[in-house]
């Protein structure tokens, strides 16, 4: 006759069904002692003359402090790039090392699991779901409570099933039943003691590693140990009551009051989504498939900075308002060109160094952009049901300006050029006679080249074109509609890009541009077989023609003495808007001519731009003037125009 199947080992795996199970036969006390949690773990070694248990992968590193030394499986070495993993615990205390060892082993387990996923997909990390590839999130209180309840539910079912099966044995002797009960009571004593806490720490780490969650040292780890310890105590107490023939009391701990062997398994919380995984999902959303490379670079830069400040492995739905305020505090002293100024430093270190060195911080506009991206990221994640935000968007409404960075960057916002600055620009050697329009653009000379560098500022002045819109024009983009010559801002070929949907528009050619010879330029380029209106302008690394031109124009302004803050190429566009306002042009027409969409109003592109409506636009464009600016010296003579 076999003895009852008694659970006795209080150091089970959190993911196995072994629970408290012992070998089927318990014939002597030594069997119980060998499996008792306070006894040796199969083998022992000596430390300082004292015998200590031998724990797998816990060793003296080169005869020094305790640490983890774990062999990397052969098949995973190409993925991980190491033969062994060493982690020094920097302690001579075996007890301290052992406590940390459970956590580090769980982290390495997760690393190996991720490497196996990569290996299964051919070793290419990009073929794995981004939020699963080396993205191990931090557990939350919700995760901890679920894991403990799930373990209790499974253990209740297993122990109850064994008790029922043991009861069906008719021939079991009273002595054998009593031995089984005593073994279980020994386990009960161990679980209620220090060994139970040690088991709980290991069980919690394994349970969360299986879900790609980490439990860093601190309050969360302590809470997880307490929850698993409570679950184990409830389970073993109820088992002792059953085997002792007493009524089984309901769980004393309210966390497990509604969990029974017959109840449905606790429903797990949604899978963890880290901040990095959320960023990747946001960037890979099909809605952002058509954004320009330059815009994508800006998004990636902002999101990388935010991940650095908050922590890319931080669970996204655990980020609080206070976290976002701390991000803003750091960004208030974060400089431009941070990577070039302070290579190798973290974002926080960069901000501290910049403040120490007196380096001016980023502009209020750039700060606003970073905070807007953060708020947009959370808004998108909740809308797409990637994350849940029970307390609302933690980044929405954060103010980007304070007295500190307004003072540091006073007057830096873009503004229109003054009449004096416009005169300085269009009386520069490039417009009255220079050596050439390459390296000699700022040197007086006999030549009057009229290529891209000559025309693009004029198109900003009298057509309000954005820099890239002007640089990328094709000869086919200048059309005649119902007797009116128009510039058609659009993206019809590779390399042409629009900032927004409202940016596509037709702008009548201003009379001043015609007097300077713009239409003559278009005809000449078409006769020469040119596709692009300004073939001399080259695109930058990201495909935008505006990037190289913007850098050149900054040097040009410096050469002509326009150095005031806020004076950039976009100042032409601000001036264009102001001149339309001064001319009494309605906002709806101004929005259309400039490719703007006013807040709360859809684009009115469908109302104008075709047929007889361009004549209406041409009447408004002709009213745009710049008092104090005289460009007569640029007008073509009759001979040149013929």
């Amino acid at each position: 006759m076999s003895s009852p199947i008694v659970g006795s080992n209080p150091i089970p795996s959190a993911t196995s069904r072994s629970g408290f199970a012992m070998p089927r036969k318990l014939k002597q006390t030594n069997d119980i002692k060998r499996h008792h949690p306070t006894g040796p773990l199969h083998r022992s070694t000596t430390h300082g003359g004292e015998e200590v248990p031998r724990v797998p992968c816990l060793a003296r590193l080169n005869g020094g402090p305790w640490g983890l030394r774990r062999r990397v499986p052969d098949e995973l070495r190409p993925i991980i790039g190491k033969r062994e993993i060493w982690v020094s615990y920097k302690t001579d205390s075996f007890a301290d090392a052992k406590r940390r060892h459970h956590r580090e082993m769980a982290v390495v387990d997760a690393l190996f699991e991720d490497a196996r996923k990569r290996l299964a997909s051919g070793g290419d990390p990009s073929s794995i779901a981004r939020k699963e590839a080396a993205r191990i999130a931090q557990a939350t209180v919700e995760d901890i409570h679920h894991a403990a309840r799930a373990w209790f539910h499974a253990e209740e079912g297993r122990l109850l099933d064994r008790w029922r099966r043991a009861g069906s044995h008719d021939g079991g002797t009273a002595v054998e039943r009593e031995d089984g009960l005593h073994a279980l009571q020994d386990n009960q004593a161990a679980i209620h003691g220090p060994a139970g806490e040690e088991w709980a720490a290991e069980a919690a780490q394994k349970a969360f590693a299986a879900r790609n969650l980490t439990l860093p040292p601190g309050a969360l780890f302590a809470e997880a140990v307490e929850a698993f310890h409570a679950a184990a105590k409830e389970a073993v107490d109820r088992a002792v009551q059953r085997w002792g023939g007493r009524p089984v009391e309901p769980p004393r701990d309210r966390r497990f009051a509604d969990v029974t062997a017959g109840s449905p398994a606790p429903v797990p919380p949604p899978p963890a989504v880290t901040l990095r995984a959320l960023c990747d999902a946001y960037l890979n959303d099909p809605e952002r498939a058509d954004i320009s490379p330059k815009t994508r670079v800006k998004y990636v830069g902002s999101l990388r900075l935010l991940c650095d400040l908050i922590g890319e492995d931080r669970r996204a739905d655990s980020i609080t308002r206070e976290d976002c305020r701390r991000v803003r505090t750091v960004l208030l002293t974060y400089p431009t060109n941070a990577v070039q100024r302070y290579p190798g430093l973290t974002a926080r270190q960069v901000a501290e160094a910049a403040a120490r060195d007196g380096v001016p911080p980023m502009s209020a506009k750039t700060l606003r952009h970073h905070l807007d991206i953060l708020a947009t990221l959370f808004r998108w994640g909740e809308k797409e049901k990637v994350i849940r935000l029970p307390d609302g968007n933690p980044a929405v409404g954060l103010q980007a300006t304070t007295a500190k960075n307004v003072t540091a960057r006073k007057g830096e916002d873009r503004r229109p050029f003054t009449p004096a600055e416009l005169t300085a620009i269009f009386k520069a050697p490039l417009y009255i006679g220079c050596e050439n329009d390459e390296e000699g653009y700022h040197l007086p000379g006999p030549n009057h080249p009229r290529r891209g560098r000559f025309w693009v500022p004029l198109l900003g002045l009298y057509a309000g074109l954005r820099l890239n819109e002007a640089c990328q024009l094709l000869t086919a983009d200048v059309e005649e509609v119902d007797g009116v010559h128009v510039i058609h801002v659009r993206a019809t070929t590779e390399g042409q890009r629009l900032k927004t949907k409202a940016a596509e528009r037709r702008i009548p050619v201003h009379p001043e541009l015609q007097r300077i010879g713009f239409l003559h330029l278009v005809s000449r380029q078409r006769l020469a077989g040119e596709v692009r209106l300004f073939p001399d302008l080259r695109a930058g690394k990201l495909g935008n023609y505006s990037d190289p031109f913007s850098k050149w124009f900054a040097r040009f302004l410096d050469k002509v003495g326009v150095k005031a803050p806020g004076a950039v190429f976009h100042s032409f566009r601000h001036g264009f808007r102001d001149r339309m306002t001064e001319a009494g042009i309605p906002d709806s027409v101004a929005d259309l001519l400039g490719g703007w969409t006013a807040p709360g109003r859809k684009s009115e592109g469908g109302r104008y731009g075709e047929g007889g409506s361009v004549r209406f636009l041409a009447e408004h464009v002709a009213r745009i003037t710049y008092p104090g600016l005289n460009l007569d010296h640029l007008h073509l003579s009759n001979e040149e125009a013929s």
Side-chain angles (χ1 to χ4, degrees):
M1 274 176 248
S2 61
S3 63
I5 302 175
V6 180
S8 67
N9 186 0
I11 311 181
S13 165
T15 55
S16 72
R17 293 184 56 84
S18 60
F20 302 111
M22 274 192 62
R24 284 179 171 269
K25 295 184 179 181
L26 300 172
K27 294 186 176 180
Q28 52 185 344
T29 306
N30 287 339
D31 288 327
I32 299 175
K33 289 183 178 179
R34 187 167 58 250
H35 294 276
H36 196 283
T38 57
L41 302 177
H42 309 296
R43 292 184 294 173
S44 64
T45 185
T46 58
H47 166 54
E50 179 183 359
E51 189 175 45
V52 296
R54 179 166 294 177
V55 179
C57 303
L58 179 61
R60 287 283 198 177
L61 301 181
N62 295 325
W66 289 99
L68 178 149
R69 182 175 180 179
R70 188 167 177 183
R71 178 180 173 275
V72 177
D74 293 344
E75 69 277 10
L76 302 183
R77 290 178 185 175
I79 303 295
I80 295 177
K82 297 181 179 179
R83 296 176 60 86
E84 286 187 328
I85 293 177
W86 288 31
V87 179
S88 175
Y89 297 150
K90 300 179 180 179
T91 180
D92 289 329
S93 168
F94 175 79
D96 291 345
K98 188 178 178 183
R99 278 193 290 271
R100 181 176 173 185
H101 192 62
H102 297 305
R103 299 193 295 268
E104 295 296 339
M105 286 288 282
V107 171
V108 176
D109 284 338
L111 175 67
F112 287 175
E113 179 62 25
D114 175 63
R116 290 187 178 93
K117 290 179 182 178
R118 294 178 185 231
L119 186 65
S121 62
D124 180 9
S126 64
S127 62
I128 310 170
R130 297 287 301 208
K131 66 182 180 181
E132 293 181 358
R135 306 288 180 235
I136 305 171
Q138 181 174 307
T140 64
V141 173
E142 186 180 14
D143 292 317
I144 290 171
H145 289 171
H146 163 73
R149 284 165 54 84
W151 183 90
F152 179 75
H153 178 270
E155 189 66 7
E156 269 284 283
R158 189 188 66 78
L159 291 176
L160 181 60
D161 180 63
R162 289 200 169 192
W163 176 75
R164 286 170 176 167
R165 286 191 286 115
S168 66
H169 292 275
D170 297 328
T173 67
V175 172
E176 288 174 326
R177 292 192 190 88
E178 187 175 355
D179 283 346
L181 177 59
H182 288 165
L184 193 56
Q185 288 171 335
D186 285 343
N187 276 337
Q188 183 182 35
I191 284 293
H192 279 266
E197 292 185 4
E198 183 177 316
W199 168 84
E202 183 177 355
Q205 285 289 1
K206 289 183 178 180
F208 290 117
R211 290 195 64 206
N212 269 359
L213 295 171
T214 60
L215 277 171
L220 277 177
F221 181 74
E223 184 157 355
V225 172
E226 187 278 329
F228 270 77
H229 196 194
K233 288 189 288 187
E234 290 285 0
V236 72
D237 289 351
R238 288 164 62 81
V240 168
Q241 291 168 2
R242 287 194 192 95
W243 283 86
R246 293 173 300 178
V248 179
E249 301 173 358
R252 295 179 298 277
D253 194 308
R254 289 184 298 175
R255 287 172 290 187
F256 313 106
D258 61 336
V259 180
T260 65
S263 66
V267 178
V273 177
T274 65
L275 179 59
R276 178 60 184 273
L278 180 63
C279 292
D280 288 344
Y282 173 75
L283 287 172
N284 293 328
D285 188 336
E287 290 186 4
R288 266 163 288 286
D290 296 331
I291 63 175
S292 70
K294 185 174 183 178
T295 301
R296 180 170 288 274
V297 166
K298 288 183 178 180
Y299 280 9
V300 170
S302 289
L303 295 173
R304 183 181 294 125
L305 179 58
L306 295 170
C307 282
D308 186 355
L309 290 172
I310 298 174
E312 65 174 24
D313 291 336
R314 175 77 175 272
R315 184 163 173 162
D317 57 8
S318 72
I319 296 171
T320 65
R321 181 74 169 183
E322 186 57 35
D323 292 322
C324 296
R325 289 195 187 100
R326 283 195 288 266
V327 167
R328 180 183 60 182
T329 299
V330 174
L331 294 181
L332 284 171
T333 57
Y334 197 82
T336 58
N337 300 320
V339 175
Q340 291 81 3
R341 292 177 188 270
Y342 301 102
L345 299 186
T346 67
R348 293 183 190 279
Q349 291 170 339
V350 166
E352 292 171 0
R356 181 190 65 234
D357 299 341
V359 177
M362 67 175 66
S363 68
K365 180 178 180 180
T366 304
L367 173 58
R368 194 159 51 244
H369 166 77
H370 289 312
L371 296 179
D372 286 347
I373 284 287
L374 185 58
T376 300
L377 178 69
F378 286 119
R379 185 162 52 247
W380 176 87
E382 189 166 43
K383 179 174 76 77
E384 297 296 325
K385 295 182 171 32
V386 178
I387 57 174
R388 291 187 295 119
L389 299 172
D391 296 326
N393 189 327
V396 71
L398 280 177
Q399 296 298 315
T401 55
T402 68
K404 183 175 182 179
N405 79 329
V406 168
T407 301
R409 291 296 209 178
K410 186 177 180 180
E412 70 161 3
D413 288 342
R414 295 168 178 173
R415 56 166 180 80
F417 288 118
T418 66
E421 289 170 336
L422 289 175
T423 298
I425 290 170
F426 294 109
K427 285 292 183 71
L430 180 62
Y431 290 98
I432 62 175
C434 62
E435 288 190 358
N436 56 63
D437 62 356
E438 293 292 341
E439 297 301 322
Y441 67 88
H442 61 290
L443 301 175
N447 300 311
H448 296 80
R450 293 195 170 201
R451 301 195 301 168
R453 288 182 172 180
F454 175 91
W455 282 107
V456 168
L458 290 167
L459 290 172
L461 184 70
Y462 280 110
L465 296 189
R466 297 179 176 93
L467 179 52
N468 202 59
E469 292 173 346
C471 293
Q472 70 183 9
L473 283 175
L474 308 180
T475 56
D477 291 334
V478 182
E479 308 168 329
E480 185 175 353
V481 179
D482 198 23
V484 176
H485 288 97
V486 298
I487 299 171
H488 194 168
V489 179
R490 57 186 174 179
T492 57
T493 63
E494 185 177 356
Q496 285 187 306
R497 295 164 181 159
L498 296 180
K499 183 176 182 180
T500 64
K501 292 180 180 179
E504 182 170 353
R505 61 201 187 276
R506 286 188 173 96
I507 309 165
V509 179
H510 193 282
E512 189 69 354
L513 289 176
Q514 296 186 42
R515 288 189 286 268
I516 296 172
F518 181 70
L519 297 180
H520 181 71
L521 165 75
V522 175
S523 298
R524 189 175 72 244
Q525 296 293 66
R526 286 174 178 167
L527 287 173
E530 296 287 356
V531 175
R532 292 186 54 228
L533 192 56
F534 306 118
D536 54 301
L537 301 182
R538 296 288 180 259
K541 294 179 180 179
L542 298 176
N544 289 330
Y545 293 98
S546 58
D547 291 344
F549 196 99
S550 179
K551 294 177 182 177
W552 170 81
F553 192 71
R555 297 193 299 271
F556 172 81
L557 290 180
D558 185 66
K559 295 293 184 183
V560 301
V562 179
K563 302 179 181 180
V568 294
F569 185 89
H570 210 74
S571 298
F572 287 122
R573 190 164 162 81
H574 283 283
F576 184 72
R577 181 74 191 222
D578 287 353
R579 299 324 302 162
M580 287 193 288
T581 301
E582 290 291 330
I585 297 174
D587 285 344
S588 59
V589 178
D591 288 341
L592 176 66
L593 289 171
W596 292 290
T597 300
R601 184 169 72 240
K602 294 183 178 179
S603 171
E604 301 186 30
R607 288 183 53 191
Y608 304 108
E610 296 185 3
S613 61
V614 295
R615 293 195 298 270
F616 172 79
L617 292 178
E619 293 174 1
H620 285 292
V621 169
R623 293 160 54 186
I624 298 173
T625 62
Y626 289 85
L629 178 63
N630 187 333
L631 299 183
D632 289 351
H633 62 287
L634 300 181
H635 293 178
L636 291 182
S637 64
N638 292 334
E639 182 180 347
E640 291 173 318
S642 61

